[in-house]
């Protein structure tokens, strides 16, 4: 009888590539990812000599040490406000637990005692690196929870978390103290919350939008470059709706809905009133002039900030019209966002300095103070032809980097774009046009932000702003094109992609771990950024 069986019955079924790639399950997969991050951190981060990544490590550590002695914040370049505050209190906690002796400037040994100084600074830097790892690992877990709520298949979510955890941005920021991680990821999480809230209506949806506003302002308070990502959110979120996005019955014109909206307006007004002194300080012309900023638009400050608020409001109205969100819910959401943003500004009072306030109120002007001469001249010059020229040049540079062949990059997510672009075309042809539009919007936002980042070399530290957008774009496509899991080539392609992702993503940490250059380059800037902390290898300057 065996000979009589048909080939269709005897053929082995195709194996599901998703099952093979996620054999550890959801929790096991996350545990393995965090364990891999920890292994990379301890091998190529924690034990690296303390001055190896001194660019920002030293600046943040110095400010935390100084502030623990009651001195004011000295570093305002990014502004790194929340990072510095976090390290300050982390050091204070470790000192209270008896785990860190060098927790303030006064507790640091003199540079003349080289052995004691090296030991104290090593402990301080390593404590800071542990904090950076904990923040990065926690961010990966938050990303995991949010992406699982966005995609239907938990296996796709695991693959997205894997790509995020071993992306170039996390590889850099999980082992050094910089301001970008705490700036970018709150805004990325805000986007993910907006996607989740937008897809399914609920009574508390305005609170989700308020939380998104809180996260956006948190990001901006730590690095003004977050304004670029914030500016894309109103446009990116427009395609992220569904048939379940329409307002629930409560919000569709009931008297109770308008009462809640009125209460939200009162709360928003009170919150704006509380934050108004900060807002006024941020646009005080005398204080701004002291920072040597130059207005970006029409010779006046506050123009593009008002334009951004108008864009947010306009996109909220457009979203409401497209996805049938009621006027009451839309207004309540606007007031919730106003309240959340205003209350988050009050964090600036924790360690108040007007320079932080001015930088956060005028983020693009702050960014231009660190731009190259060509960019500054074009931005402050008449006409827009020069600006358009720089944008075209930047787009070309970004696209070349995305190919990896035309311009190599220590960024593994560029390999995802090789699959995302044809995936968008495939999804569109299959009728999954909303998913294709969502993925395309995220990819275009990434290209736009990277285009502006090119003017500062698009360093690996900046990948954290756009890597999550690329990964989300790929996850959304893979979730909709789930039949690809049964293709014969899927598993082999995925393993190849993972190998490239891991090798390229870990290249920078490995390179820094094995570098042999000395710390002498620090002497070029240490007296400016660390005026009260002498270094053993730098000559004293009068």
């Amino acid at each position: 009888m065996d000979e009589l069986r048909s080939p269709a019955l005897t053929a082995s079924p195709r194996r599901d590539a998703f099952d093979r790639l996620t054999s550890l399950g959801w929790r096991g997969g996350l545990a393995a990812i965090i364990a891999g991050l920890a292994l990379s951190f301890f091998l190529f981060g924690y034990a690296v000599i303390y001055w190896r990544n001194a660019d920002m490590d030293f600046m943040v550590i110095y400010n935390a040490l100084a502030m623990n002695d009651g001195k004011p914040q000295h570093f305002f370049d990014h502004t790194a406000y929340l990072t510095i505050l976090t390290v300050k209190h982390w050091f204070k906690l470790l000192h209270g637990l008896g785990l860190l002796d060098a927790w303030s400037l006064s507790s640091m040994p003199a540079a003349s005692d080289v052995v004691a100084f090296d030991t104290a600074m090593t402990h301080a830097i390593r404590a800071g690196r542990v904090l950076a790892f904990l923040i990065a690992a926690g961010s990966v877990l938050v990303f995991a929870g949010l992406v699982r709520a966005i995609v239907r298949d938990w296996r796709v979510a695991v693959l997205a978390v894997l790509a995020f955890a071993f992306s170039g941005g996390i590889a850099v920021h999980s082992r050094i103290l910089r301001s970008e991680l705490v700036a970018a990821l709150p805004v990325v999480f805000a986007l993910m919350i907006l996607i989740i809230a937008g897809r399914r209506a609920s009574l508390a949806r305005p609170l989700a939008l308020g939380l998104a506003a809180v996260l956006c302002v948190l990001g901006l308070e730590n690095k003004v470059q977050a304004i670029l990502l914030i500016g894309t959110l109103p446009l990116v979120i427009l395609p992220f709706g569904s048939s379940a996005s329409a307002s629930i019955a409560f919000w569709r014109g009931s008297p109770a809905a308008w009462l809640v909206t009125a209460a939200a307006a009162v709360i928003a007004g009170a919150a704006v009133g509380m934050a108004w002194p900060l807002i006024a300080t941020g646009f005080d012309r005398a204080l701004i002039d002291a920072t040597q900023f130059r207005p970006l638009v029409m010779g006046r400050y506050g123009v593009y900030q008002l334009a951004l608020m108008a864009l947010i409001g306009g996109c909220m109205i457009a979203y409401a019209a497209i996805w049938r969100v009621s006027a009451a819910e839309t207004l309540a959401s606007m007031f919730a966002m106003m309240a959340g943003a205003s209350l988050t500004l009050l964090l600036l009072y924790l360690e108040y300095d007007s320079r932080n306030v001015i930088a956060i109120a005028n983020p693009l002007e702050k960014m231009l103070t660190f731009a190259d001469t060509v960019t500054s001249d074009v931005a402050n010059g008449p006409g827009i032809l020069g600006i358009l020229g720089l944008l075209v040049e930047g787009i070309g540079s970004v696209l070349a980097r995305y190919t990896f062949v035309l311009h190599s990059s220590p960024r593994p997510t560029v390999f995802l774009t090789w699959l995302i672009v044809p995936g968008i075309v495939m999804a569109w042809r299959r009728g999954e046009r909303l998913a294709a539009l969502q993925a395309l919007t995220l990819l275009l936002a990434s290209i736009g932000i990277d285009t502006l980042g090119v003017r500062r070399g698009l360093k690996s530290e900046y990948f954290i702003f756009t890597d999550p957008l690329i990964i989300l774009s790929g996850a959304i496509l893979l979730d909709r094109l789930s039949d690809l899991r049964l293709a014969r080539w899927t598993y082999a392609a995925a393993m190849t992609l993972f190998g490239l992702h891991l090798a390229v993503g870990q290249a920078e940490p490995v390179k820094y771990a094995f570098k042999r250059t000395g710390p002498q380059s620090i002497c070029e800037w240490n007296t400016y950024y660390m005026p009260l902390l002498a270094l053993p290898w730098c000559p004293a300057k009068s």
Side-chain angles (χ1 to χ4, degrees):
M1 293 294 294
D2 290 341
E3 292 80 359
L4 298 178
R5 289 179 181 174
S6 67
L9 293 176
T10 57
S12 61
R14 292 184 181 179
R15 297 185 65 183
D16 190 321
F18 287 5
D19 284 340
R20 298 174 69 186
L21 293 167
T22 59
S23 58
L24 295 177
W26 172 252
R27 292 183 179 178
L30 292 186
I33 289 169
I34 297 300
L37 275 179
L39 179 63
S40 175
F41 168 73
F42 284 107
L43 287 178
F44 308 116
Y46 178 77
V48 172
I49 193 166
Y50 72 89
W51 41 258
R52 175 61 67 206
N53 298 310
D55 182 7
M56 275 293 293
D57 272 359
F58 269 25
M59 297 169 192
V60 171
I61 294 291
Y62 170 81
N63 277 266
L65 295 174
M67 293 171 76
N68 274 333
D69 267 342
K71 294 178 172 58
Q73 178 182 339
H74 179 79
F75 181 86
F76 297 95
D77 291 3
H78 293 176
T79 61
Y81 176 70
L82 297 178
T83 298
I84 293 170
L85 279 187
T86 304
V87 175
K88 170 194 171 183
H89 291 291
W90 174 246
F91 280 6
K92 187 177 293 186
L93 172 64
L94 293 180
H95 179 70
L97 295 174
L99 299 175
L100 184 66
D101 294 328
W103 70 290
S104 64
L105 275 184
S106 59
S107 63
M108 284 293 299
S112 56
D113 189 346
V114 177
V115 174
F117 182 92
D118 283 349
T119 300
M121 187 59 82
T122 296
H123 291 163
I125 293 292
R126 287 182 176 178
R129 288 174 181 170
V130 169
L131 177 62
F133 169 75
L134 292 175
I135 293 173
S139 298
V140 169
L141 294 177
V142 173
F143 182 89
L146 292 174
V147 77
R148 187 170 183 183
I150 290 174
V151 300
R152 300 171 301 175
D153 192 331
W154 68 266
R155 298 171 301 176
V156 174
V158 169
L159 296 176
V161 176
L162 180 68
F164 176 67
F166 293 98
S167 64
I170 293 295
V172 170
H173 293 287
S174 61
R175 66 199 80 232
I176 64 174
L177 288 167
R178 287 190 62 93
S179 58
E180 289 86 359
L181 182 72
V182 181
L185 291 189
V187 185
V188 170
F189 296 155
L191 170 62
M192 298 174 78
I193 288 169
L194 291 174
I195 291 173
I196 296 166
R199 285 180 168 176
R200 183 171 298 279
S202 68
L203 179 64
R205 184 160 58 178
L207 294 178
L209 273 73
L211 175 59
V214 167
L215 293 171
C216 286
V217 176
L218 282 175
L220 186 62
E221 286 177 336
N222 207 55
K223 188 175 178 71
V224 293
Q225 191 174 343
I227 192 66
L228 304 178
L229 185 53
I230 293 170
T232 66
L233 295 195
L235 296 171
V236 169
I237 199 63
L238 287 177
F240 286 94
S242 70
S243 59
S245 299
S247 296
I248 64 173
F250 174 84
W251 288 112
R252 292 202 295 268
S254 67
W258 287 108
L259 184 61
V260 171
T261 301
V266 172
I267 295 171
V272 171
M274 295 169 64
W276 188 254
L278 291 169
I279 298 171
T281 298
F283 293 102
D284 185 297
R285 189 60 187 251
L287 293 175
I288 294 176
D289 289 343
T291 63
Q292 299 182 341
F293 285 2
R294 286 193 283 181
L296 188 64
V297 182
M298 301 168 55
R300 303 183 64 179
Y301 294 100
V303 175
Y304 67 84
Q305 293 88 333
L306 290 174
L308 177 58
M309 287 189 283
L311 175 66
I312 293 171
C315 287
M316 291 183 72
I317 293 171
Y319 187 95
I322 295 169
W323 302 110
R324 296 180 296 132
V325 180
S326 70
E329 184 180 359
T330 301
L331 287 173
S333 299
M334 289 180 177
F335 293 136
M337 292 177 69
M338 292 171 59
S342 299
L343 292 175
T344 308
L345 282 175
L346 300 180
L347 291 175
L348 294 173
Y349 282 127
L350 291 177
E351 292 286 347
Y352 179 79
D353 193 298
S354 63
R355 287 171 289 185
N356 278 324
V357 180
I358 292 167
I360 291 162
N362 304 277
L364 296 184
E365 286 85 355
K366 179 66 174 177
M367 289 171 62
L368 281 176
T369 62
F370 296 97
D372 57 75
T373 304
V374 173
T375 304
S376 298
D377 291 344
V378 170
N380 293 292
I384 62 170
L385 291 180
I387 295 176
L388 291 177
L390 287 181
L391 289 176
V392 171
E393 180 185 339
I395 291 172
S397 178
V398 169
L399 294 180
R401 293 165 194 264
Y402 280 17
T403 68
F404 192 80
V405 177
L406 298 177
H407 192 303
S408 62
S409 170
R411 185 178 195 179
T413 48
V414 299
F415 301 114
L416 292 180
T417 63
W418 296 4
L419 299 179
I420 290 171
V421 173
I424 291 171
V425 175
M426 181 184 294
W428 185 271
R429 289 182 174 178
R430 289 189 177 187
E432 296 283 357
R433 297 192 170 181
L434 185 58
L437 185 59
Q438 291 169 350
L440 178 61
T441 303
L442 288 166
L443 185 59
L444 290 177
S446 174
I447 293 172
I449 295 169
D450 283 343
T451 295
L452 299 176
V454 162
R455 300 312 308 173
R456 295 205 68 193
L458 197 57
K459 298 183 292 185
S460 57
E461 291 87 351
Y462 298 158
F463 296 164
I464 195 67
F465 285 97
T466 50
D467 275 350
L469 304 185
I470 296 172
I471 293 165
L472 280 176
S473 177
I476 288 168
L477 285 174
L478 192 60
D479 191 46
R480 302 305 303 185
L481 303 175
S482 59
D483 60 303
L484 294 178
R485 73 190 191 279
L486 301 176
R488 293 179 178 177
W489 52 267
T490 299
Y491 181 75
M495 292 303 295
T496 301
L497 187 63
F498 173 70
L500 286 171
H501 198 88
L502 187 64
V504 175
Q506 298 299 303
E508 286 295 294
V510 172
K511 181 181 74 174
Y512 271 96
F514 288 97
K515 281 181 71 173
R516 290 292 180 264
T517 55
Q520 287 73 24
S521 61
I522 298 170
C523 303
E524 298 173 4
W525 47 258
N526 72 302
T527 55
Y528 177 79
Y529 285 109
M530 302 185 296
L532 301 179
L533 183 64
L535 300 176
W537 59 86
C538 292
K541 295 182 181 180
S542 57

